[in-house]
Amino acid sequence: MTALLEIRDLKAEVAGRQILNGLSLTVNKGEIHAIMGPNGAGKSTLSYVLAGKPGYEITGGEVLLNGEDLFAMAADERAAKGLFLAFQYPLEIPGVATLTFLRAALNAQRRKRGEEELSSPDLMKRVRELSKKLGIDPDMLRRPLNVGFSGGEKKRNETLQMALLEPLLCVLDETDSGLDIDALKVVANGVNQLRAPERGMIVITHYQRLLDYIVPDVVHVLAAGRIVETGGKDLALQLEATGYAQYQGEAA
Amino acid sequence: MAAVQETIEQVRRIDVEQYKYGFVTDVESDKAPKGLSEDIVRFISQKKNEPEWMLEWRLEAYRRWLTMREPDWARVNYPKIDYQDLYYYAAPKKKKELASLDEVDPEILKTYEKLGIPLREQELLAGVVRPEGERRIAVDAVFDSVSVATTFQKELKDAGVIFMPISEALREYPELVRKYLGSVVPASDNYFATLNSAVFSDGSFVYVPEGVRCPMELSTYFRINEKNTGQFERTLIIADKGAYVSYLEGCTAPQRDENQLHAAVVELVAMDDAEIKYSTVQNWYPGNAEGVGGIYNFVTKRGDCRGDNSKISWTQVETGSAITWKYPSCILRGDNSSGEFYSIAISNGHQQVDSGTKMIHLGKNTSSRIVSKGISAGRSQNTYRGLVSAHRKAKGARNFTACDSLLIGDQCGAHTVPYMEAKNPTAVFEHEATTSKISEDVLFYCVQRGLSQEEAVGLVVNGFVKDVLQQLPMEFAVEAQKLISISLEGSVG
Ligand SMILES: Nc1ncnc2c1ncn2[C@@H]1O[C@H](COP(=O)(O)OP(=O)(O)O)[C@@H](O)[C@H]1O
Ligand SMILES: [Mg+2]
């Protein structure tokens, strides 16, 4: 069976500095992988490289998404093929209503996949259903995207986008950052509803806390641009106790 | 390549090559000889069967113009215009006077069809059941120097509204035209307005009588087709006491290597308790990627809030023209009168835009509001130039101005030149201005969700201009939104 995501010996630079140093990782359909690691280890860099953010140069290795060469696809194609990145700091777009953004994103993806666009009434219906399911105030749909949203609202909005776009691979970068425990529970609950046999997830976090609510199948430690340890969900608990100091020495 | 850099490249490649209105219509035309002289002025007046006073008015303007100098204070550069190398009159040739739209040259009708302008009102009316609440729009189409068709004339007439080519109004309602023509923009006002006064060939005339709310949107559609032809149209709109009218103006021109001159004058008069809403979507040919060709758009637009409690609102979406020199203004003469100016000005390629407004507060408790959104891309220069002034007697004058500029790329420029003068101590003027670059991170966020780079820019820009788009009548807003995307990314509308 083809893995959903296959990362082999990935090396990448940003601003002339090598950040990823031969990173390998396999995610199968239906699995949730947690990536933990100290600040500056390269966790966000990995998510941006996968998503195709400009400014990141691939200097080695390869990545296959459902068996296809990821780096042969433009960033928007990757999205249309089912790659979704939940941003650590979701961006604001003044003057663009959340619903307008959702419509633009979904229909752009559908066009790219050669599917018919969703009509406005159908979209409205679908978005309303999902909002209800995720505990999102429908009023948010009319507000300009992320403008003046609280940290919790922003992350809930990312979850809503994810639910609507139905990606195959979700990469969640520090979804827990800036959330109090109640907001964290709501967002985690949303993410858990999106668990599906066809879908894989990579949950990036610095703290173990999130993993109490989104329980992973596999836990990896990323340090100095490589996966340095892999284990079950108790690895997270172990890290909580020991910290990352033991990995800080891992050289590039 | 960085996202923004990519956008710049894209914008540079597509810009004006994407101009989809650049076709030329093949019709025979009647032209005056090239060049400008008293004889040409007489020729135009004679062609139009004008009353004697009108000819005198034109000649006086012409003589005045000879003594004037072309203004050079705007932040625009262009080679000297040879006024003797232009045609001042061109009319599609017709065999006889038109009795109905059926006699309009089918080539011209096709042109308007291609442009999406419905001239065939009979088809629209032909028993088709309209969705509830759908508005109809009466159209006056000006092709080069003359008006070729005005639709819905009868229905408007029943409501007492006069909407016709100004050349016709000069024959049918000479006293009404005479009373108001040049009363807002005098024939001596400025170089281009004076030129227009001498040679204007057509345009629209609107009179909405006391207490009448115009039953539909009125619209004029301008099209320059002929080569080397200046277009000098003249629009005059009067809303009598308590009247209301919403007027839309659209314009395109074919793609040509020579620059074409467009020097229009628009005068609005609002009497007591009257309101005029004037919306423009300007999409003249902007020239090619190297900056060759395109329309010089030197326009004088002014509204006079002559009566108490009157209101004039300008909304403009400026996407075309090689050079734009345009300051739709309001004279707030009546007590409690108010003026508004909402503007979106997009420049790309080598376009130069110098646009803004003047709000002249003369009456008591007058108020004005200015919302300007400038978007510069490519190697374009985009200047907002505004004047807000309160006369000594303008007690309680209030103004709010917000000017926002958005830059796409690093080879374009945005400039804000606001002047304010309050000669009355009770005046309250507020001014806000921002300049920002389109954010690479925001574009990436959109692209990660599946939008192409172009779609992302379009979405962000449409958000940026939303406050102004909302001021446009519905149908126009949709068109404008598409136009904004096209003029920035070349994505097929
Ligand atoms: N745009 C950039 N320019 C220069 N250095 C960067 C840039 N982005 C990230 N880095 C560096 O790359 C390293 C990894 O960063 P990041 O991937 O954000 O780590 P993490 O998400 O694990 O905290 C850090 O040392 C950071 O300073
Ligand atoms: Mg990070």
Side-chain angles (χ1 to χ4, degrees):
Chain A
M1 190 187 72
T2 322
L4 180 58
L5 181 75
E6 181 86 56
I7 303 176
R8 293 188 193 129
D9 200 26
L10 180 62
K11 293 177 182 149
E13 285 182 1
V14 61
R17 225 183 97 204
Q18 182 142 333
I19 308 295
L20 299 184
N21 296 302
L23 187 148
S24 297
L25 177 70
T26 303
V27 178
N28 292 304
K29 288 179 185 145
E31 293 177 352
I32 294 196
H33 289 235
I35 295 184
M36 303 184 70
N39 283 324
K43 303 185 296 294
S44 292
T45 302
L46 172 64
S47 72
Y48 289 145
V49 164
L50 292 177
K53 186 173 183 178
Y56 291 78
E57 202 189 335
I58 315 303
T59 51
E62 65 175 342
V63 177
L64 302 176
L65 178 67
N66 257 333
E68 287 185 72
D69 179 5
L70 188 74
F71 297 141
M73 302 176 214
D76 51 342
E77 278 175 72
R78 297 180 199 184
K81 292 268 184 182
L83 179 86
F84 183 95
L85 171 60
F87 284 61
Q88 180 172 1
Y89 304 106
L91 289 112
E92 303 180 357
I93 312 186
V96 176
T98 299
L99 186 66
T100 304
F101 182 79
L102 293 173
R103 179 187 302 126
L106 181 65
N107 284 334
Q109 292 201 8
R110 292 175 78 110
R111 279 194 304 274
K112 284 201 175 78
R113 292 194 292 256
E115 298 165 11
E116 226 171 286
E117 293 188 18
L118 204 63
S119 73
S120 284
D122 287 348
L123 181 105
M124 266 309 274
K125 197 163 156 259
R126 179 106 188 85
V127 171
R128 284 197 179 282
E129 279 167 13
L130 294 172
S131 305
K132 202 166 166 197
K133 220 166 114 183
L134 298 171
I136 287 172
D137 182 354
D139 189 48
M140 186 166 100
L141 301 170
R142 275 185 279 131
R143 288 159 64 192
L145 187 73
N146 289 326
V147 178
F149 285 24
S150 69
E153 284 176 321
K154 284 183 182 174
K155 295 298 166 82
R156 244 177 287 168
N157 192 282
E158 294 288 285
T159 319
L160 174 62
Q161 293 178 37
M162 196 155 84
L164 178 71
L165 296 173
E166 301 181 299
L168 293 176
L169 178 71
C170 307
V171 181
L172 289 80
D173 191 5
E174 307 260 1
T175 290
D176 50 334
S177 76
L179 297 190
D180 60 35
I181 191 70
D182 294 324
L184 179 76
K185 281 184 188 166
V186 173
V187 172
N189 177 42
V191 173
N192 286 329
Q193 292 191 45
L194 296 174
R195 294 184 94 136
E198 290 304 303
R199 186 171 287 146
M201 294 195 195
I202 296 176
V203 179
I204 294 173
T205 180
H206 185 77
Y207 301 103
Q208 186 272 336
R209 183 181 71 156
L210 178 68
L211 305 181
D212 288 340
Y213 301 97
I214 304 174
V215 181
D217 301 301
V218 188
V219 175
H220 308 272
V221 179
L222 199 166
R226 278 187 299 151
I227 300 293
V228 293
E229 190 160 352
T230 296
K233 56 176 181 274
D234 28 314
L235 175 59
L237 291 168
Q238 196 185 311
L239 284 169
E240 181 76 354
T242 59
Y244 296 111
Q246 52 177 317
Y247 304 109
Q248 301 289 44
E250 301 270 342
Chain B
M1 205 171 0
V4 168
Q5 187 57 35
E6 219 167 283
T7 308
I8 301 166
E9 296 294 329
Q10 246 150 14
V11 161
R12 198 175 290 147
R13 249 178 291 126
I14 54 96
D15 62 345
V16 285
E17 263 133 48
Q18 301 287 332
Y19 190 73
K20 66 172 183 178
Y21 306 104
F23 57 87
V24 177
T25 307
D26 192 14
V27 287
E28 266 193 88
S29 82
D30 231 352
K31 275 192 226 165
K34 239 186 202 177
L36 187 51
S37 65
E38 286 206 4
D39 283 347
I40 293 290
V41 174
R42 284 178 206 280
F43 175 91
I44 295 169
S45 186
Q46 197 189 351
K47 271 276 172 201
K48 305 270 173 196
N49 275 325
E50 286 177 355
E52 186 60 25
W53 63 265
M54 192 62 232
L55 173 63
E56 285 310 317
W57 198 80
R58 286 175 181 277
L59 287 171
E60 202 180 310
Y62 174 66
R63 289 170 197 139
R64 174 92 186 199
W65 180 73
L66 290 174
T67 70
M68 296 168 93
R69 276 194 52 219
E70 199 166 330
D72 58 5
W73 44 262
R75 198 186 181 100
V76 293
N77 281 304
Y78 55 93
K80 216 160 166 41
I81 298 171
D82 182 355
Y83 289 91
Q84 295 306 333
D85 196 35
L86 291 176
Y87 290 104
Y88 287 83
Y89 182 84
K93 224 173 223 165
K94 53 190 176 189
K95 306 201 169 55
K96 53 183 162 76
E97 280 304 303
L98 298 181
S100 81
L101 206 57
D102 290 333
E103 295 172 36
V104 175
D105 189 326
E107 285 299 317
I108 294 180
L109 287 182
K110 259 191 248 162
T111 301
Y112 283 95
E113 233 162 73
K114 264 198 229 177
L115 296 167
I117 314 298
L119 291 186
R120 293 210 158 263
E121 64 181 283
Q122 53 272 66
E123 277 169 26
L124 296 176
L125 289 168
V128 186
V129 183
R130 301 178 156 278
E132 187 91 21
E134 188 191 287
R135 278 179 300 169
R136 281 168 307 156
I137 303 177
V139 181
D140 183 15
V142 177
F143 200 80
D144 289 331
S145 304
V146 299
S147 170
V148 291
T150 307
T151 61
F152 292 106
Q153 287 232 34
K154 174 159 186 324
E155 196 165 340
L156 288 167
K157 207 167 178 178
D158 290 347
V161 174
I162 303 172
F163 176 44
M164 57 172 59
I166 198 163
S167 57
E168 217 170 298
L170 270 162
R171 293 191 294 268
E172 288 192 34
Y173 305 95
E175 289 319 308
L176 200 53
V177 178
R178 191 175 192 176
K179 183 171 170 193
Y180 293 101
L181 186 75
S183 73
V184 186
V185 179
S188 58
D189 192 79
N190 70 73
Y191 190 80
F192 299 114
T194 304
L195 177 62
N196 174 288
S197 302
V199 302
F200 77 84
S201 35
D202 222 331
S204 296
F205 176 78
V206 178
Y207 176 78
V208 187
E210 191 169 333
V212 172
R213 204 183 153 85
C214 189
M216 63 183 80
E217 310 262 353
L218 303 183
S219 162
T220 298
Y221 201 85
F222 296 105
R223 171 89 180 155
I224 299 180
N225 188 58
E226 278 298 318
K227 214 167 165 166
N228 292 330
T229 302
Q231 182 156 340
F232 305 93
E233 82 268 357
R234 184 107 196 173
T235 298
L236 176 57
I237 300 175
I238 301 123
D240 218 325
K241 289 180 186 164
Y244 169 85
V245 62
S246 166
Y247 181 92
L248 323 169
E249 175 203 295
C251 5
T252 60
Q255 196 162 332
R256 296 192 184 280
D257 289 345
E258 306 84 23
N259 293 107
Q260 283 166 290
L261 177 63
H262 175 250
V265 172
V266 175
E267 298 180 275
L268 311 182
V269 181
M271 307 306 285
D272 287 352
D273 305 300
E275 181 177 346
I276 301 175
K277 186 171 167 59
Y278 191 107
S279 315
T280 306
V281 173
Q282 184 269 107
N283 185 25
W284 297 117
Y285 177 54
N288 74 5
E290 279 74 50
V292 176
I295 303 287
Y296 293 166
N297 194 30
F298 301 146
V299 172
T300 304
K301 290 184 166 176
R302 196 172 302 154
D304 188 357
C305 286
R306 206 163 282 180
D308 292 348
N309 309 308
S310 57
K311 179 175 175 184
I312 288 178
S313 178
W314 297 101
T315 304
Q316 61 173 29
V317 179
E318 301 282 315
T319 66
S321 295
I323 301 179
T324 302
W325 181 100
K326 180 180 175 192
Y327 316 89
S329 304
C330 297
I331 300 168
L332 303 166
R333 204 183 297 279
D335 290 346
N336 306 309
S337 63
S338 64
E340 292 174 340
F341 174 73
Y342 296 98
S343 171
I344 299 169
I346 300 185
S347 56
N348 193 359
H350 289 255
Q351 285 177 273
Q352 305 174 57
V353 178
D354 196 303
S355 185
T357 185
K358 285 188 261 183
M359 294 290 174
I360 314 294
H361 294 255
L362 301 178
K364 292 189 186 61
N365 300 315
T366 50
S367 63
S368 60
R369 183 177 173 82
I370 299 170
V371 178
S372 163
K373 304 277 182 179
I375 298 125
S376 337
R379 292 163 180 272
S380 65
Q381 294 294 328
N382 203 324
T383 302
Y384 168 81
R385 191 181 299 278
L387 168 68
V388 179
S389 80
H391 190 263
R392 264 187 312 110
K393 290 178 183 156
K395 216 173 81 188
R398 276 165 298 136
N399 165 265
F400 172 75
T401 299
C403 286
D404 298 316
S405 304
L406 185 68
L407 297 165
I408 302 175
D410 48 16
Q411 289 186 294
C412 50
H415 319 274
T416 305
V417 190
Y419 299 99
M420 304 223 165
E421 49 185 41
K423 294 194 180 131
N424 184 299
T426 61
V428 180
F429 292 169
E430 286 174 80
H431 179 92
E432 292 171 4
T434 65
T435 299
S436 51
K437 276 190 90 155
I438 198 159
S439 152
E440 206 168 303
D441 287 343
V442 168
L443 292 181
F444 174 63
Y445 186 69
C446 296
V447 169
Q448 206 300 305
R449 296 300 184 252
L451 278 75
S452 68
Q453 191 75 15
E454 304 178 349
E455 290 166 337
V457 173
L459 191 74
V460 172
V461 169
N462 272 303
F464 175 73
V465 301
K466 183 169 166 243
D467 297 349
V468 175
L469 276 184
Q470 279 175 336
Q471 299 297 326
L472 285 173
M474 193 56 163
E475 304 84 341
F476 245 37
V478 174
E479 189 186 325
Q481 203 164 348
K482 281 191 207 147
L483 193 56
I484 289 165
S485 298
I486 291 169
S487 58
L488 282 170
E489 313 114 39
S491 60
V492 191

